[in-house]
Amino acid sequence: MESPAAFFRKAVLIFRRRRFYSDLDEELAFHREQVEQEFRQQGMDPEGAHYAARRCVGNETFFKEQSHDIIGFTFEGLVQDVRYGWRQLRKNPGFVATVVVILALGIGAITAIFSVLNPILFKPLPYPRANRIMMIWERQSDGSRLFDCFATFLGLQQHTRSFDALVAMKPWQPTMVGAGRPERFEGQQVSANYFRALGMSPVLGRDFQAADDRHKGPAVVVLSDGLWRRRFGSDRAIVGQQLTLDGDAYTVIGVMPGGFENVLAPAAELWAPLQYDPSLPPRSREWGHHLRMVGRLRAGVSQKQAGAELDVIQRAWGQTYARGYNESGGVPAGTLLYPLQSDLTREVKPALLAVSGAVGLVLLIACVNVTNLLLARGVQRGGEFAMRAALGASRKRLTRQLLTESLLLAIIGGVLGILIAELGVRALVVLSPPGLPRVNAITVDGAVFGFALAITALIGLAVGLIPALQSNRGGSLELALHRGGRVIAGSSQVMRRTLVISEVALALVLLVSAGLVLRSLQRVLAVDPGFDGSHLLTMQVQESGHYYDSDAHRLQFFKNALAAVRMVPGVVSADFTSQLPMSGDYDVYGMQFENDRTAQEGGLRYAVTPGYPATMRIPLRRGRRLNQGDTTGAPTAVLVNESFARRKFGDHDPIGTRVRIGPDAGQGEKPWATIVGVVGDVRQESLAVGAEDAFYVSTAQWPWADDVLSLVVRTRGDAATLLPAIRDAIWSVDKDQPIVRVATMESLLDISEAQRRFTLIVLEAFALVGLVLAATGIYGVLSGSVSERTREIGIRTALGASSRDILAMILGQGMRLTAFGVMIGLFGALLASQALVALLFGISRLDAVTYFSVTLLLLAVAGIACWLPAARAARVDPAITLRAG
Amino acid sequence: MASKPDLMPGTLDLLILKTLARTPLHGYGIALSIKRLSDDVLTVEEGSLYPALQRLLLRGWVKAEWRTTETNRRARYYTLTAAGRKQLEIELSQYEQVIAAIGRVLQHA
């Protein structure tokens, strides 16, 4: 340690550096003169004495460097290193640009991907002790999960001791009618404890109380912060005021805080109490499986214990209420319990994991590439470092210099990486499949960024040290100077080749993954949905207001709306359906057969206007379609789909079979309906999910009239352009009825494959980056090798090798490396494809076509990367190279 | 370079201080004086001498000034300061202790 006095003298010296060094020079000159004189006195000739003295009291630079170490401060060295490093880097803009771009891509990509993954998969949900919140489903006898019915919720809620709060919820889309167009909101109807189960409470007003959530209870509503600001100008006096929703006056009782993130229904902007009937009247909505249930585990109770308890309760409850359950599809076998977070992410997990695996590979390739570049540069700089060492730079100093340069590169790459991550995150959010949870919580994640930067920088640092280590192997100056600008391969070439092989292998894994998903998507999109999706405009039309409490009014409005829409020029045909394929609708009801009364059957229920199958161009296989005669009062006519008919009847003709449908199933006093036709299968959920049992019935003959139907319009030209005219036609019937969820069927078909498409886009991008990096790697190694072998090539040419021979030799060298990489990569892809199985459709993960074609692609690109240096080698003129040696 | 016995670590400062204790000298003079007094056994390289002098300067144990030599050349003379004189005593006594200790070990080993 320095004494304060010494520190002070150093500080003073900063301003007298010039004087200090001129003193030193003069002092050394004096010293040299004295030595020279001494030599002359010993009898040397004057010239000899002069040079002898110079040799003796040599190297002024060395003295200066050494003195600087003594009188200078440590950080001065650092500043100098940075300056020198910067100069070095500026001399090699190509090298710098390459390294920086690779670093930035690697760091940016992994930061972007993990910024998306982090809130979805890893960060706890934004609620206190969020890991205690469970999602609860009914379990069917085959183990699959089912939405809960209110009866189940009531039974569990009354008897469970495992939960602090157990709540049920369902979507709610009330319409607010004002001066302008009717606005439909996204909302939820929830049990009184909903917010308490999540651990949140309103910031204004009050939470729901038990008294709010009773049958025929008060019409009260809690608003989201967003809606409160958007529609009500952040008016603090909103609490206690009334809104008219669906024709009813609702009192605002509270406003949720801005920080409240409602992961169970991200779009929901207002909440009302559920208010179901706890007396569980038969065949009521209380028995319909359409609720979701969430519970907060009591302290000390494990998920397993809670699940066991719920099963016991459910069994006893199911026996007590067997009749009610049997009328709605049977007594559930038990319950299914999942932590809320894993339940929410179940669907998107395969895609996210595939993407994160891919980004890991990209980062690896980036690291390998940077390593490769630094190795090559290290070999080239061996001479520079040997020279500096000879001029008196200490080993410590050289090491520090290299570290400084690597850090400079890492910092520049890192800054660019942040930008790429920002852009990447935005692009990912735009591309993300619908249903991606917590989209709003996605931001660039500093921790991940730091992590990626650290990894890449560490590798850079470690590798960057190689030239310093090499320059310190004694006596290398002579060697370095002797070989001049030429570079000798040695061990680092072996290392570089190994790295290139691994790059090729990693790139191939990415390419195979992208290829498999691409082929799956092609297969899926080639699936026949069972209807003609072109020139088809769809939208949801809702009836709102008490006028539509009567079934007759409901049916009349839809009938009039249809008549108005059919008048619009360009409309070929138009019809309504209770559920629309590819829209997320999923509505199943039971069916009882006269000839097999005990079997519990059921299927997707389509309550449609009679022309629906024709408008959708669903083919008729047997019997007749529905027509205007199938209306109120007439015997109920039912169509079933092909696979339902085949499964139930085999080769027998189902036409004329009598059935009871929906709530009538199992009700002895209800009249029978008749199957009058069989139509083709339709994919309801997505193209990838096979056809399920389904039946069609006229809206007028279904036991009740739905108040929300989807309109499908077959158009002559571009479907989307007719939207304004069609909307006006509906509003000409009643201007207060909201029209939502407008989409062409083509876009719905696209969206239904969004997850696969999202994965594909990301995988394709990464595979491309991997391919380019691998090609760069091959090119770099090969051109380095050609430079080193110039003399050898010259000699070969002089001895008679043709330029074709040389071309073949270098190409062969490069392609051998590639072939090695391909073999390892194919093996890696076999393993990696296991992670993709969930995303594949219609092909095996070992799909030969994919493996073969991406291998060809890789070989072609590698061929180009090899050909460039090979062509250069073939042009080597022996006369020039040999003379230069 | 012919091999010569190395100075014991830390003794260069002591030698310089001791040399300067008799009379102010320039760098060459210091090197020459040490060489002669040690009968050519100890050679102080310039590469060690000047950095050592710079360190002593920084610590305030010597001070430097430009004077003229007997041959009328400008040379930088180093003079021991009061602090330097004190440091010399400390280093001398430390040195003697160490030498005595080594001597004892060598006698009994």
Side-chain angles (χ1 to χ4, degrees), chain A residues 5-6 9-10 13 19-20 23-24 26-28 30-31 33-35 38 56-57 63 66-67 70-71, chain B residues 26-28 31-32 35 46-47 49-55 57-60 66 69 73-76 78:
Chain A
R9 285 190 195 96
K10 260 192 195 183
L13 266 176
R19 174 78 190 275
F20 177 86
D23 280 354
L24 182 65
E26 193 177 344
E27 195 170 15
L28 288 174
F30 173 77
H31 196 115
E33 258 170 49
Q34 297 298 313
V35 174
E38 200 179 318
C56 240
V57 191
F63 276 109
Q66 209 176 19
S67 320
I70 293 166
I71 63 158
Chain B
H26 44 65
Y28 176 74
L32 201 63
K35 195 176 167 195
E46 298 76 25
L49 175 65
Y50 287 98
L53 283 170
Q54 286 163 356
R55 272 192 296 270
L57 273 171
L58 269 184
R59 290 176 186 146
W66 289 96
T69 64
R73 285 274 292 126
R74 238 167 78 85
R76 203 173 187 209
Y78 293 88

Side-chain angles (χ1 to χ4, degrees), chain A residues 357-388:
Chain A
V359 79
L361 291 184
V362 169
L363 186 67
L364 252 171
I365 297 181
C367 287
V368 170
N369 226 311
V370 171
T371 308
N372 237 338
L373 284 167
L374 286 170
L375 272 178
R377 186 169 149 85
V379 173
Q380 285 161 8
R381 287 180 75 185
E384 175 200 334
F385 277 88
M387 178 68 86
R388 284 189 64 185

Side-chain angles (χ1 to χ4, degrees), chain A residues 624 626 630 634-639 661 673-676 696-698 701:
Chain A
R624 67 165 175 93
L626 300 178
D630 300 319
T636 304
V638 175
L639 306 179
I661 51 175
T674 309
I675 295 177
V676 299
Y696 297 78
V697 63
S698 161
Q701 295 190 324

Side-chain angles (χ1 to χ4, degrees), chain A residues 448-469:
Chain A
V448 175
F449 173 79
F451 170 75
L453 183 65
I455 295 189
T456 335
L458 263 181
I459 291 168
L461 291 183
V463 175
L465 284 181
I466 287 172
L469 300 180

